[in-house]
Amino acid sequence: MGPENATPDTKIARRRGYLSVQSRLLIMLLAASLVSTAVVGAVGYISGRESLRAEVVDKLTAMRELRTGEITALLGEVQREAALASNNASARGASVALNAGWEELAQSPLTAAQDAELTGYYSDTFLPRLENLTGEDYGDRAFVPESSEGRTAQYLFTRQDGAADRPAADPGDGSTYTRAYLDADAYFSDLVQTVGYTDVVVTNLDGDVVYTAAGGVDLGSNLSEGPFRESRLAQGIRDVVADNSVDAVVTTDIEEWTPALGFPVMWVVSPIGDDDGITGTIALQVPIQWINDVMTGYGKWQQQGFGTTGETYLAGADRLMRSTSRHLVETPDTYADAVIADGTTAETADRVTTAGGTVLLQPVRGTAVDDAIAGRTGTAISTEYIDGESLAAYAPLEVDGLDWVIVARMDADEAFAPVTDFARTLLVSTLALMLLVSILSLLLSQSFTRPIRRLATAVRRVSDGDYDTRVPDHGNDEFADLARSFNDMAAGLRVRQDLIDHQRTENDRLLRNIMPASLAEKYREGEETLAERHDDVAVVFAEMVGFDDYARTLVGQDEILALNELTRGFDEVAARCGVESVRTLRGGYLASSGLTVPRVDNARRAVEFAVGMRASVERFNTRTGATLDLRVGVDTGSVTSGIVARASLAYDLWGDAFRLASRLRRSGEEPGVFLTDAVRLRVEGLFDLADAGSVEVDGTTTAIWRVV
């Protein structure tokens, strides 16, 4: 079959596994430009992302430090005011007078009617309000003082409203305690009215509460033995008394204070006295709102750079909040659902919304709080009590007497929104640049390879037999030189092909079977030597791999049927590739190209035939489930053909090319198509080849190449 009759399958097989020059050039340009663009984009993204992340972290850290300074300053100011309020003549005088009046109260206990009236205040007024707010039940006399002086003090000055911002009313009993209480109230209630404290509590050294500005049920109680003995206030008073120094100041953690109907309170305690000794203690009840105002920035989160989700809060070692939540302040209707979604119990969320505050109610968790409680300072992406993951800056709060931590947090999505926006912008820009580079690379590659494509098309046409093909040869560059050389080659091939076609016509007339016409003529003339030498012949010698093992699985004539099917497949490939079949073996196949019909491209046809044989075997394997393969040797050169058995008319080949092709097929155990160096030189660029070592034939070492 001549080039002009090449089928589409042959052309596809010829190009299979190759990339065109344009494709390679395009890949090269794209790889260089896209990799450069990607590297620049990646470096820009990493550096930009880290810079933006560092900026966000620094901003949140600055917010934490700002709030730390403000809350520390607030508590420090309260401690100084407590020390000043306790170490002046008014406080010392009030303490001495209250203590003296307290001792006299033991001489005037309440009557039965007065005691019943006091009990009625608890059962009818205080306890119902307390039980309604806390949900707990208390006995009628649970908070009634044990001592008679305590009950008398409550009867005289405990008020139903518990208001500390107005002076106490004179009960009119004329007792020393009443006069001392009213005198002390003139001084201590001024602290409430002018400074803003919620309450002022004064005790004697035995722990008896001898005065409260609010007139609550803690008045008259003994903080060493009474119902409030386990309170933080009681412990703070015991600490300052045990210190026995007028300069001592104790700040207590926030606690739920029963006399304040269970609302959270905080105390700063200082002893009352002078260098001669102390006479009692004073405790200033710090408004929780002061702490909330500092931690919330008076509700101006966005103006202070906290965005829509940022906030700072305080927490104790018990992992409960010590300040209010921004979300509760801004979105009280959705607060419960939000915190429940992040692990808070429904009961706790309901108590928070009912109380209108998160202090001592809302639990907090996560890396930030855990590390801060452990004494570490830093930043982390941490789970919080709300809104899932947050960027948090945390630190322990350095305030004497308080085991608190401070956390500045912001939702991770909002905190890193600039990083996300930057990444999105950079990605879009990089993709746009890559698209532009791809278009430019495509245009450049097309411009560069257009002459090559024209030459490739012309070469394919020539290989298909159109030797009249010409390509434009305008210009003075290398492509023009190549075009002129190609046109000269095509003209020469035209002449040569005309000669070959003429010779083939003559041969076709003489050939009757598989042998050359000259041999046929000699045979007819009765000559004994029926052999001819042929130059420039490609020899293909193939050996089946695995057929013996496969044949053992067959029965009867199935082996012959299998061999026939394989041979038919080889014959079809030979016809398609223009290769002459010489003889068929049980486990092999011998063929040549350029023997009976001279070919200018016999090496290419021989290699295509070898590759096609392996493809035919692969199709047989797919259909039958066999695992056969071929070892094929291909060489080109001189051979001798002839009839080796006159009686049986056996036609065969021998010679150097035959021996080398036969040697190649037995050069190793690995299946494949193996070429000599002479074949490689003729087909290089048409097939992908790999170095397969070398063989030695007749003392000569020949390089082997394998088609991959």
Side-chain angles (χ1 to χ4, degrees):
M1 183 172 62
E4 64 277 14
N5 298 320
T7 66
D9 289 340
T10 306
K11 298 176 182 178
I12 293 173
R14 191 181 305 153
R15 296 193 299 269
R16 186 177 296 129
Y18 290 89
L19 286 175
S20 66
V21 173
Q22 177 180 334
S23 299
R24 296 177 187 178
L25 180 61
L26 180 60
I27 291 173
M28 179 182 68
L29 292 173
L30 285 177
S33 56
L34 294 183
V35 168
S36 300
T37 303
V39 169
V40 171
V43 171
Y45 170 71
I46 293 172
S47 60
R49 180 191 63 183
E50 295 306 318
S51 297
L52 288 173
R53 282 178 175 265
E55 182 179 346
V56 171
V57 170
D58 291 345
K59 180 179 179 181
L60 208 59
T61 302
M63 294 174 181
R64 181 199 68 199
E65 293 303 312
L66 175 64
R67 291 289 187 260
T68 298
E70 291 174 346
I71 195 67
T72 302
L74 170 66
L75 297 177
E77 181 64 23
V78 173
Q79 291 171 343
R80 286 189 292 274
E81 287 181 354
L84 291 174
S86 64
N87 292 332
N88 58 51
S90 297
R92 292 194 296 271
S95 176
V96 171
L98 286 168
N99 291 344
W102 182 266
E103 292 177 358
E104 290 186 8
L105 286 181
Q107 308 303 320
S108 54
L110 296 179
T111 64
Q114 291 173 330
D115 192 80
E117 185 178 351
L118 178 62
T119 304
Y121 163 74
Y122 277 100
S123 60
D124 299 337
T125 302
F126 179 75
L127 291 178
R129 293 176 62 192
L130 178 64
E131 291 171 351
N132 180 61
L133 291 173
T134 63
E136 298 181 9
D137 296 328
Y138 299 92
D140 289 346
R141 298 184 65 84
F143 304 110
V144 176
E146 293 291 334
S147 65
S148 62
E149 53 266 45
R151 291 193 295 275
T152 301
Q154 280 199 1
Y155 177 79
L156 293 174
F157 291 104
T158 295
R159 300 193 291 270
Q160 294 185 12
D161 57 7
D165 58 352
R166 60 182 178 80
D170 187 354
D173 66 328
S175 64
T176 301
Y177 176 74
T178 295
R179 289 194 300 273
Y181 192 99
L182 294 175
D183 290 341
D185 190 61
Y187 169 66
F188 292 122
S189 64
D190 185 60
L191 289 175
V192 175
Q193 296 173 20
T194 58
V195 181
Y197 292 107
T198 308
D199 196 5
V200 177
V201 172
V202 178
T203 70
N204 58 24
L205 295 180
D206 294 328
D208 296 310
V209 179
V210 297
Y211 169 83
T212 67
V217 297
D218 47 347
L219 177 64
S221 291
N222 186 277
L223 297 181
S224 298
E225 300 175 354
F228 310 118
R229 62 185 178 275
E230 300 297 330
S231 66
R232 297 185 186 277
L233 172 61
Q235 185 60 49
I237 290 173
R238 287 193 288 270
D239 290 343
V240 297
V241 171
D243 190 84
N244 198 32
S245 170
V246 294
D247 297 324
V249 176
V250 172
T251 303
T252 72
D253 199 351
I254 298 175
E255 63 179 332
E256 293 180 348
W257 186 236
T258 301
L261 300 177
F263 285 97
V265 301
M266 178 179 182
W267 304 94
V268 177
V269 184
S270 182
I272 301 175
D274 52 24
D275 294 339
D276 294 331
I278 62 175
T279 59
T281 66
I282 182 174
L284 304 180
Q285 189 181 111
V286 180
I288 301 302
Q289 189 58 42
W290 286 3
I291 296 175
N292 288 335
D293 288 343
V294 170
M295 298 307 295
T296 63
Y298 296 90
K300 298 180 179 179
W301 288 282
Q302 288 195 343
Q303 295 91 320
Q304 296 173 359
F306 282 88
T308 58
T309 61
E311 64 174 333
T312 53
Y313 65 81
L314 298 170
D318 55 4
R319 290 174 173 77
L320 296 177
M321 275 193 174
R322 296 300 193 269
S323 61
T324 196
S325 164
R326 173 182 181 176
H327 291 265
L328 180 63
V329 174
E330 292 186 332
T331 56
D333 295 337
T334 61
Y335 181 85
D337 292 337
V339 295
I340 289 173
D342 272 83
T344 301
T345 63
E347 179 183 1
T348 299
D350 184 63
R351 289 185 62 194
V352 169
T353 53
T354 300
T358 56
V359 178
L360 296 183
L361 294 176
Q362 178 61 57
V364 288
R365 55 188 171 83
T367 303
V369 173
D370 292 342
D371 285 359
I373 290 175
R376 293 187 286 271
T377 299
T379 58
I381 297 178
S382 170
T383 54
E384 287 288 338
Y385 70 98
I386 199 168
D387 292 336
E389 284 193 340
S390 300
L391 176 64
Y394 55 87
L397 191 66
E398 303 294 338
V399 176
D400 291 341
L402 298 179
D403 194 9
W404 288 0
V405 299
I406 184 169
V407 176
R409 62 161 295 274
M410 182 180 289
D411 287 0
D413 290 341
E414 181 181 8
F416 294 125
V419 179
T420 303
D421 293 341
F422 168 75
R424 185 183 301 110
T425 302
L426 183 61
L427 178 61
V428 171
S429 301
T430 303
L431 291 177
L433 183 58
M434 286 183 172
L435 177 61
L436 178 60
V437 167
S438 299
I439 294 173
L440 291 176
S441 298
L442 179 61
L443 295 176
L444 288 173
S445 65
Q446 287 180 340
S447 175
F448 183 80
T449 59
R450 189 174 294 113
I452 299 177
R453 289 199 303 274
R454 286 199 295 262
L455 282 170
T457 301
V459 169
R460 284 194 296 271
R461 294 177 64 182
V462 168
S463 68
D464 290 337
D466 185 4
Y467 299 116
D468 296 324
T469 299
R470 299 294 183 269
V471 295
D473 55 1
H474 308 299
N476 297 312
D477 58 7
E478 290 82 353
F479 288 118
D481 293 340
L482 183 60
R484 285 188 284 270
S485 298
F486 173 82
N487 291 336
D488 293 341
M489 179 196 72
L493 288 175
R494 174 75 271 173
V495 174
R496 187 173 183 182
Q497 187 62 42
D498 288 342
L499 294 174
I500 293 174
D501 289 343
H502 177 72
Q503 183 65 42
R504 185 173 57 193
T505 301
E506 293 298 320
N507 291 341
D508 287 343
R509 225 167 20 86
L510 298 173
L511 288 176
R512 296 295 180 265
N513 289 306
I514 62 172
M515 65 185 68
S518 58
L519 286 179
E521 183 66 22
K522 290 179 181 180
Y523 179 77
R524 286 193 298 269
E525 292 176 357
E527 291 187 13
E528 293 296 326
T529 303
L530 299 177
E532 281 188 347
R533 176 183 174 85
H534 304 272
D535 296 323
D536 195 20
V537 175
V539 179
V540 180
F541 208 147
E543 181 179 33
M544 193 80 67
V545 177
F547 186 79
D548 289 337
D549 294 335
Y550 176 68
R552 282 193 286 270
T553 66
L554 305 177
V555 296
Q557 62 181 2
D558 290 345
E559 179 180 351
I560 299 302
L561 294 175
L563 276 174
N564 288 339
E565 181 178 348
L566 288 167
T567 303
R568 283 196 303 271
F570 298 160
D571 290 340
E572 290 172 1
V573 177
R576 188 167 62 246
C577 294
V579 173
E580 303 92 3
S581 173
V582 177
R583 58 184 167 89
T584 301
L585 309 176
R586 177 181 178 277
Y589 196 95
L590 176 63
S592 66
S593 177
L595 180 65
T596 60
V597 179
R599 307 283 190 183
V600 296
D601 57 347
N602 55 66
R604 174 184 64 79
R605 292 173 180 271
V607 176
E608 284 183 354
F609 169 65
V611 173
M613 290 180 71
R614 294 194 72 200
S616 178
V617 171
E618 184 60 33
R619 289 191 294 272
F620 178 86
N621 291 341
T622 302
R623 190 185 66 77
T624 63
T627 58
L628 306 180
D629 208 334
L630 291 175
R631 282 196 299 270
V632 186
V634 182
D635 188 26
T636 182
S638 299
V639 298
T640 301
S641 66
I643 298 174
V644 296
R646 186 180 183 86
S648 60
L649 199 59
Y651 178 75
D652 204 350
L653 294 178
W654 58 91
D656 293 340
F658 171 81
R659 288 196 301 276
L660 194 51
S662 176
R663 180 67 179 85
L664 288 184
R665 71 184 175 99
R666 298 179 180 276
S667 62
E669 297 295 326
E670 181 182 5
V673 177
F674 300 91
L675 317 179
T676 63
D677 212 38
V679 177
R680 177 188 66 83
L681 292 175
R682 297 193 179 194
V683 301
E684 192 168 27
L686 299 177
F687 301 89
D688 287 335
L689 304 177
D691 188 357
S694 62
V695 297
E696 184 174 342
V697 177
D698 298 334
T700 301
T701 300
T702 301
I704 304 176
W705 301 85
R706 185 177 185 270
V707 178
V708 297

